[in-house]
Amino acid sequence: MPSISRSQEQKLDNLNEGSKTSNKSLNRKHWILQQRRSLPIASVERRLVDEVRKNDTIIIVGETGSGKTTQLPQYLFNAGFCRDGKVIGITQPRRVAAVTVAKRVAEECDAQLGQKVGYAIRFDDATSTSTRIKYMTDGLLLREALLDPILSRYSVIIIDEAHERTVHTDVLLGLLKKVQDARLKQHKLDKPYINNVVKVDNECHSSNMKFAPLKLIIMSASLDAKGFSEYFCGAKAVYVQGRQYPVDILYTYQPEPDYVDATLITIFQIHLDDSPGDILAFLTGQEEIELVDMLVHERLKQLPERSRNILTVPIYSSLPSEQQMNVFRPTPSNFRKVILATNIAETSVTIPGVKYVIDPGVVKSRYYNPVTGMESLIIMPISKAQALQRSGRAGREGPGKCFRLYPESEFWKLIDSTVPEIKRCSLSNVVLQLKALGFNDIIGFDFMDKPSRSAIKQSLQELYLLGALTDDCKLSDPVGIQMARFPLDPIYSKALILSGEFRCLEEMLIVVAMLSVESIFYSPREKLEESVVIIYEMALLYSSPPVVFYCKARSAWKKFSSPDGDHLTLVTVFRAAVEYREKIRAATNKEKAIDKSLSRWCRDNFINNRSLKHALDVHSQIKVYLEQMDMSLSSCGDDVLQFRRCLTASFFLNAAEKQPDGSYRVKANGQNVQIHPSSVLFRTKPECIIFTELIQTNQIYVRNISRAWMPELSQYYDVER
DNA sequence: GAGCACTGC
């Protein structure tokens, strides 16, 4: 079954390049060859190949449009780096990028996708034993390293978009440095490297195989190669020119007190004074986008008829993909498109036709407090690198303009580049992965940017409490080893392992899959408005408080809700969806028809289709892992108590007790929290709860809550504090 | 009685 992003990307392809069904394939080939030759990187092909031959590690700084991602792997292939069945691996931070680039390169090589050129992302592997150029997500390569610690099948690994510094990229950088060392030592000793390779699946694993040194190429779009070069012991950096049109940068004279208002003014200023061309405005979130959208239309009414030719298009990640696609529709003639976007338009989505960029200089970003383990989203200033990335969006197709809604002096005060993710997220998963890869000394691990000691210690402690680590801080056998194998949050992995003992693995697997995805319940705005009208009419009719009629979505969800809490509610939703799908499958075997039918079921029940599909994918993936570990899918049936016991035992760290004022106190650290109003237990307010999410917004909320099973809990908290 | 930047295994 194709994943969502793949179909999304296919639509993108069609929209961007038009129909590919042309029978003039010769012309197409000729055109592709010309395109390839005209890329800036083409002129330095020989030099690049020489540098890779001479150096084990090089850094390539290439601006957008240089062609480095598509061309370099082909140059290396042609230069013989895939001899003896070796593979060139290229990592990307995003799934869509891995797929689109692989398709493009396969076409350039005149090969069928999945043969010489392929890609591998979670839930979707388009590679074969003949694949020599393999695009993949960086997280997937990390997973591969767990099975083959010296990545023996690869002759070259290219880390693309390294400047983005995702957690996965950072862990990979550290790991690859070690892999290089290990392979170099083995190469010099001239004897087979002994390791715990689990998966032996192709010809390059013959027993007396010698491993050539691993070539490592770090590709970055940012201008500071220094950091990477220093990290890799003075590795050589090569600069490749990009293909970018000039962008005029304009600043304000004074700081703007209200960037939303300033954005609005700028949109109209461009619209009335500047030449034709679409506008891309960066905002921080859905709410802000909807507000600006509304305000633009309000102010348009004040303009003369002939100036009202503005078309607004919002785009943010939780928007259904059909609506996201609206940004690619051609603008009607005489109209100016105004794209109101979050950070999604900074890297993930490239929108054609943009000539003007409006950059208020802020971003909503996740902040993690390692002491409290609490995550919150805060609006903060962007970095210089981000500002450059944003302004670059105006110069893709011709000269452009970027309006920075702050004075130039403020720009120079911005930090150079965004703080790497590894320094601002929970490290439990990173630590578990590194332990599984054989790195015991986490504090001493050679990170490019070291996370704080306290964050590492916090994760070590959590993993110890979950039973993943022994008293001397080593990975425990079998619990720790099993936990590291699951592509899940460590606490969810632990819940799965425990639920085998409690004989409710079937239920816990569903819960874990549902908790691993974005919110399952979805209430579109227009539906809410519809319900507001109903409330209003009802209130007039009955002159009573209209709370009962608050939301249609609510009543749709009611049939799923469980008195025991949100977790069993999720189980009911999942089972209802699967049951419905099977019913449809019995009537038709066309996957498309089944998909469509399930989408309709989701819409009728106010369920987020994308999230549900994702949960189904996670569910089937984890099921395979469980089967490999010989864990049988036991169900507790109607014995809800058994499930509550298991949930309590798994998430005892997340237990909270009711206080006299109706708030809750987290038993593990004494923190005061509230039940989120979206919970089915919001009104019930049980004495003691187990939660699986803690978030800070206007208040500190716990979400996804179930009633705790007190006798089980008392085993963990015997002394009342 | 509330509010969801963006990725990824």
Side-chain angles (χ1 to χ4, degrees):
Chain A
M1 193 175 71
S3 68
I4 306 126
S5 55
R6 199 171 159 191
S7 60
Q8 181 178 337
E9 167 273 318
Q10 273 163 355
K11 283 185 207 160
L12 270 171
D13 250 15
N14 296 342
L15 283 157
N16 280 346
E17 292 179 28
S19 166
K20 282 184 186 169
T21 51
S22 161
N23 52 8
K24 295 172 185 163
S25 66
L26 260 177
N27 278 347
R28 172 95 184 148
K29 274 180 201 166
H30 184 70
W31 181 78
I32 286 174
L33 199 66
Q34 269 193 329
Q35 289 280 308
R36 288 190 62 193
R37 283 191 187 139
S38 72
L39 285 167
I41 198 173
S43 58
V44 286
E45 170 174 358
R46 198 188 297 168
R47 196 186 143 209
L48 282 175
V49 171
D50 281 351
E51 292 293 355
V52 177
R53 280 216 179 90
K54 278 190 283 188
N55 303 284
D56 280 349
T57 308
I58 64 163
I59 291 131
I60 297 182
V61 177
E63 296 159 33
T64 34
S66 62
K68 61 188 191 312
T69 309
T70 54
Q71 303 309 301
L72 186 65
Q74 296 186 65
Y75 299 163
L76 296 175
F77 177 89
N78 295 336
F81 279 89
C82 292
R83 265 184 226 126
D84 311 320
K86 292 287 188 193
V87 176
I88 298 169
I90 310 98
T91 71
Q92 296 289 329
R94 278 170 295 280
R95 295 161 54 96
V96 182
V99 178
T100 35
V101 177
K103 280 187 179 167
R104 171 76 194 188
V105 174
E107 194 188 3
E108 287 185 7
C109 294
D110 202 14
Q112 212 186 337
L113 187 68
Q115 294 301 306
K116 178 178 148 190
V117 183
Y119 68 86
I121 58 178
R122 190 186 188 184
F123 312 129
D124 191 1
D125 185 351
T127 63
S128 61
T129 46
S130 44
T131 301
R132 293 294 165 266
I133 297 178
K134 177 176 170 184
Y135 289 88
M136 63 196 130
T137 42
D138 42 18
L140 199 100
L141 184 61
L142 264 181
R143 285 278 152 191
E144 266 188 36
L146 283 178
L147 302 173
D148 175 7
I150 57 160
L151 297 164
S152 48
R153 61 159 68 177
Y154 297 98
S155 56
V156 183
I157 286 177
I158 303 173
I159 307 289
D160 201 5
E161 313 283 8
H163 61 279
E164 288 191 22
R165 303 291 304 277
T166 66
V167 183
H168 289 152
T169 301
D170 272 23
V171 176
L172 261 184
L173 292 176
L175 171 69
L176 291 170
K177 231 175 136 171
K178 301 281 181 203
V179 172
Q180 273 188 319
D181 280 352
R183 288 200 4 192
L184 207 61
K185 267 183 204 146
Q186 185 279 326
H187 186 65
K188 281 182 183 155
L189 287 172
D190 201 28
K191 64 181 183 192
Y193 186 88
I194 298 155
N195 64 72
N196 56 339
V197 173
V198 182
K199 197 173 103 186
V200 179
D201 60 357
N202 65 21
E203 66 270 34
C204 62
H205 272 286
S206 61
S207 58
N208 58 353
M209 182 75 203
K210 284 186 290 181
F211 293 109
L214 175 69
K215 296 288 183 183
L216 188 56
I217 301 167
I218 313 297
M219 299 211 288
S220 164
S222 80
L223 289 173
D224 78 296
K226 223 176 93 196
F228 291 113
S229 180
E230 276 166 12
Y231 180 61
F232 285 100
C233 316
K236 194 164 185 175
V238 182
Y239 291 83
V240 182
Q241 247 194 347
R243 203 162 31 180
Q244 176 85 4
Y245 293 93
V247 175
D248 252 350
I249 309 285
L250 298 121
Y251 293 95
T252 60
Y253 292 108
Q254 300 293 327
E256 291 292 338
D258 179 352
Y259 64 81
V260 171
D261 193 50
T263 303
L264 208 60
I265 292 168
T266 313
I267 289 172
F268 282 99
Q269 190 188 315
I270 297 169
H271 181 57
L272 297 174
D273 300 344
D274 263 306
S275 57
D278 295 342
I279 302 172
L280 169 61
F282 285 98
L283 295 160
T284 64
Q286 177 181 347
E287 209 180 343
E288 221 169 80
I289 286 173
E290 281 166 354
L291 176 70
V292 172
D293 195 1
M294 193 192 75
L295 292 174
V296 167
H297 285 103
E298 225 165 65
R299 294 209 187 170
L300 268 181
K301 288 179 199 157
Q302 298 160 10
L303 291 184
E305 191 82 50
R306 63 186 150 74
S307 303
R308 291 187 197 166
N309 50 344
I310 278 187
L311 185 78
T312 54
V313 199
I315 182 166
Y316 45 89
S317 83
S318 62
L319 197 70
S321 38
E322 308 90 68
Q323 288 178 54
Q324 284 189 2
M325 290 304 149
N326 284 340
V327 298
F328 298 108
R329 284 174 191 275
T331 320
S333 58
N334 284 328
F335 266 76
R336 192 195 293 274
K337 187 154 68 180
V338 177
I339 302 134
L340 307 171
T342 59
N343 254 12
I344 194 170
E346 212 176 87
T347 46
S348 306
V349 175
T350 300
I351 303 156
V354 171
K355 190 173 174 189
Y356 304 97
V357 163
I358 301 174
D359 174 18
V362 283
V363 66
K364 198 183 276 186
S365 136
R366 179 177 281 162
Y367 172 78
Y368 174 75
N369 182 339
V371 181
T372 57
M374 191 141 56
E375 282 186 341
S376 44
L377 286 168
I378 48 171
I379 293 172
M380 54 186 283
I382 57 172
S383 63
K384 289 196 191 82
Q386 263 181 305
L388 283 172
Q389 175 71 25
R390 287 180 174 189
S391 59
R393 292 304 198 179
R396 303 280 296 190
E397 290 165 18
K401 270 188 190 175
C402 175
F403 297 80
R404 293 189 178 149
L405 305 181
Y406 44 93
E408 188 168 1
S409 56
E410 289 298 311
F411 173 81
W412 296 108
K413 287 183 201 159
L414 298 175
I415 50 167
D416 286 344
S417 41
T418 314
V419 177
E421 198 186 355
I422 202 158
K423 295 187 92 169
R424 49 188 175 90
C425 71
S426 158
L427 294 175
S428 302
N429 224 342
V430 170
V431 171
L432 186 63
Q433 295 301 310
L434 286 176
K435 292 268 178 192
L437 286 163
F439 301 106
N440 260 316
D441 177 14
I442 307 294
I443 292 182
F445 185 79
D446 185 13
F447 287 108
M448 187 167 161
D449 274 80
K450 262 196 197 310
S452 74
R453 243 183 140 81
S454 68
I456 295 175
K457 280 186 174 165
Q458 173 79 18
S459 319
L460 285 169
Q461 197 190 353
E462 190 198 328
L463 290 170
Y464 175 76
L465 287 171
L466 291 176
L469 300 180
T470 58
D471 287 343
D472 54 353
C473 232
K474 294 222 168 74
L475 204 62
S476 66
D477 187 0
V479 172
I481 294 171
Q482 285 180 325
M483 280 173 66
R485 285 207 62 194
F486 291 114
L488 293 169
D489 267 1
I491 196 162
Y492 294 163
S493 308
K494 180 60 192 299
L496 282 183
I497 293 167
L498 262 184
S499 64
E501 291 168 28
F502 283 91
R503 309 203 58 76
C504 58
L505 181 52
E506 193 182 303
E507 285 76 15
M508 192 59 86
L509 173 56
I510 295 173
V511 167
V512 162
M514 295 289 257
L515 290 178
S516 298
V517 302
E518 288 280 287
S519 172
I520 285 287
F521 298 106
Y522 171 65
S523 46
R525 194 150 294 251
E526 59 271 21
K527 296 287 178 193
L528 274 174
E529 276 163 14
E530 197 177 312
S531 67
V532 169
V533 175
I534 295 170
I535 293 165
Y536 183 69
E537 286 170 357
M538 288 306 214
L540 283 182
L541 270 176
Y542 302 110
S543 55
S544 64
V547 183
V548 187
F549 309 104
Y550 185 67
C551 184
K552 273 169 111 182
R554 271 285 141 132
S555 64
W557 297 333
K558 213 172 175 182
K559 61 175 171 286
F560 303 119
S561 83
S562 156
D564 293 290
D566 301 311
H567 299 99
L568 283 168
T569 302
L570 289 174
V571 173
T572 313
V573 172
F574 186 91
R575 283 183 171 153
V578 169
E579 194 186 320
Y580 181 81
R581 193 180 59 175
E582 293 316 307
K583 209 173 79 192
I584 301 299
R585 187 162 282 159
T588 173
N589 54 4
K590 286 184 189 138
E591 282 301 322
K592 258 193 181 161
I594 297 170
D595 263 10
K596 214 174 160 186
S597 202
L598 193 60
S599 303
R600 200 176 319 118
W601 182 87
C602 284
R603 207 170 47 230
D604 293 345
N605 289 294
F606 296 88
I607 302 291
N608 185 330
N609 186 27
R610 186 164 31 186
S611 303
L612 180 72
K613 276 190 178 163
H614 191 185
L616 287 164
D617 279 340
V618 176
H619 184 268
S620 47
Q621 186 193 29
I622 305 296
K623 208 169 151 187
V624 173
Y625 280 93
L626 290 170
E627 280 158 9
Q628 284 169 357
M629 293 179 197
D630 286 326
M631 291 171 75
S632 65
L633 273 192
S634 50
S635 166
C636 61
D638 292 332
D639 190 358
V640 173
L641 259 181
Q642 191 64 5
F643 177 78
R644 277 174 55 202
R645 273 186 69 196
C646 181
L647 201 70
T648 309
S650 308
F651 297 95
F652 67 93
L653 287 170
N654 297 349
E657 279 175 311
K658 187 155 85 171
Q659 302 297 294
D661 65 350
S663 70
Y664 284 78
R665 185 176 163 278
V666 180
K667 282 174 93 76
N669 57 18
Q671 190 162 45
N672 198 269
V673 297
Q674 308 279 342
I675 294 187
H676 195 273
S678 64
S679 171
V680 296
L681 295 181
F682 179 71
R683 283 165 198 282
T684 323
K685 291 212 191 317
E687 280 308 309
C688 191
I689 56 170
I690 294 289
F691 60 88
T692 46
E693 196 185 3
L694 179 70
I695 45 156
Q696 180 169 20
T697 52
N698 289 332
Q699 295 196 62
I700 300 172
Y701 285 108
V702 285
R703 252 198 317 217
N704 293 322
I705 293 142
S706 281
R707 288 165 59 204
W709 179 239
M710 297 297 270
E712 186 66 44
L713 197 61
S714 60
Q715 294 180 27
Y716 301 97
Y717 299 94
D718 41 8
V719 185
E720 275 302 319
R721 276 190 283 178

